């Protein structure tokens, strides 16, 4: 970044790619499957990354405030407020974070009395069934970014999830990985 030299880095470790890459090129048997910004590629349920056990959203954010009394840091992720455990970064610092798809709960109405801090209002962008895992991956557009949720097919039916429908993406502060 400092000397602005592009680097080609090959890795199968999604956490590593999320921390280092700005642009990702997915290859399968030497063929390009997809290419684009990491935040976009990581949240596309139709791509091979989403089929992995460690699938999840990679988001960019800025530190807004530290709430010492609550031991939390407030982030702005493209208009979406996210609370995480206190991190050692100054206000205004850019942060890259990862929210694993298995950590995300979907809701249609805002619940009360929960221990989690993060309830992001969004819109269902897409749903891809994963018959091998008896689940589905749901893409939720949140502001100018996206969250990926792994849920049961029953949850998709009970919540009547469909592209264009409003949904809340809920996740714990301790479930967010700072990259």
């Amino acid at each position: 970044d400092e000397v602005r030299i592009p680097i080609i880095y090959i890795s199968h470790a999604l956490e590593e790619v999320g921390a280092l890459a700005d642009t990702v090129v997915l290859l399968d048997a030497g063929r390009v499957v997809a290419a684009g910004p990491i935040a976009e590629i990581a949240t596309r349920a139709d791509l091979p990354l989403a089929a992995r056990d460690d699938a999840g959203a990679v988001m960019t954010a800025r530190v807004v405030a530290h709430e010492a009394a609550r031991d939390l840091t407030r982030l702005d992720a493209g208009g979406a407020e996210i609370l995480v455990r206190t991190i050692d970064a100054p206000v205004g610092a850019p942060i890259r974070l990862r929210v694993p798809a298995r950590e995300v709960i979907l809701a249609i109405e805002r619940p009360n009395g929960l221990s989690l801090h993060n309830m992001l209002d969004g819109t269902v962008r897409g749903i891809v069934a994963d018959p091998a895992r008896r689940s589905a991956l749901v893409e939720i557009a949140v502001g100018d970014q996206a969250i990926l949720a792994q849920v049961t097919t029953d949850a998709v039916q009970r919540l009547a999830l469909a592209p264009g429908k409003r949904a809340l993406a809920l996740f714990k502060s301790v479930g967010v990985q700072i990259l």
Side-chain angles (χ1 to χ4, degrees):
D1 285 345
E2 290 177 18
V3 292
R4 299 180 112 12
I5 295 174
I7 297 172
I8 295 175
Y9 188 83
I10 300 169
S11 178
H12 295 275
L14 190 53
E15 187 172 335
E16 191 173 79
V17 171
L20 299 173
D22 293 320
T23 302
V24 173
V25 178
L26 292 179
L27 299 173
D28 184 20
R31 191 176 119 268
V32 173
V33 176
I38 181 66
E40 179 185 314
I41 299 299
T43 56
R44 287 207 22 215
D46 63 328
L47 293 177
L49 287 180
R52 295 170 47 125
D53 288 334
D54 60 351
V58 175
M59 303 174 80
T60 57
R62 288 215 175 273
V63 175
V64 173
H66 297 288
E67 298 184 16
R70 298 174 70 195
D71 205 15
L72 295 171
T73 295
R74 187 175 303 278
L75 305 175
D76 175 20
E81 180 182 281
I82 296 176
L83 288 169
V84 297
R85 292 179 281 190
T86 298
I87 59 174
D88 185 23
V91 170
I95 299 292
R96 189 175 288 186
L97 56 96
R98 187 169 173 286
V99 180
R102 69 180 175 274
E103 296 287 333
V104 178
I105 298 166
L106 298 179
I108 300 304
E109 297 176 8
R110 188 168 291 272
N112 292 314
L114 299 175
S115 64
L116 60 83
H117 291 104
N118 299 297
M119 294 187 217
L120 306 184
D121 195 10
T123 304
V124 176
R125 187 170 74 179
I127 302 170
V128 175
D130 186 349
R133 294 184 183 172
R134 295 187 169 94
S135 64
L137 291 164
V138 182
E139 301 171 19
I140 305 291
V142 178
D144 63 358
Q145 300 194 58
I147 292 277
L148 190 62
Q150 182 181 27
V151 299
T152 63
T153 53
D154 176 68
V156 171
Q157 293 171 359
R158 281 186 304 107
L159 298 175
L161 297 174
K165 184 169 182 174
R166 180 185 170 275
L168 291 162
L170 293 77
F171 52 94
K172 298 186 303 186
S173 297
V174 296
V176 177
Q177 300 168 338
I178 303 299
L179 302 176

